[in-house]
Amino acid sequence: MFCRDYPEERIGKQMLIRNVGGASGGGSSLTPFAKSLVEQFHRLHKNILTQR
C-alpha cells in the first residue's frame, strides 16, 4: 500500500483518477468526491480564519 492509497482505503471512496504512462506520460486528477472535500476544507479554513 502506498501513502496515496491510504485515504481511499480509510474513507472507502476513490480520490484519484490515475492515468498510467503512454505517449502523454500519464498523470492523476481528483475525483468529483475529492474535489468536494477540498472545497469543504477551504470553506472551513476560511471560516476559522475569519473567527480569529
Side-chain angles (χ1 to χ4, degrees):
M1 172 178 64
F2 293 105
C3 290
R4 69 169 190 258
D5 298 325
Y6 184 72
E8 292 182 346
E9 289 186 11
R10 293 282 297 178
I11 294 173
K13 291 204 175 231
Q14 184 177 4
M15 305 284 284
L16 289 176
I17 299 168
R18 297 172 182 92
N19 298 310
V20 180
S24 63
S28 297
S29 59
L30 295 175
T31 63
F33 174 74
K35 286 179 184 178
S36 73
L37 287 180
V38 172
E39 290 169 2
Q40 289 176 48
F41 170 80
H42 285 296
R43 282 195 302 271
L44 175 63
H45 186 252
K46 182 179 177 182
N47 287 338
I48 290 170
L49 291 178
T50 57
Q51 292 180 10
R52 285 184 175 186

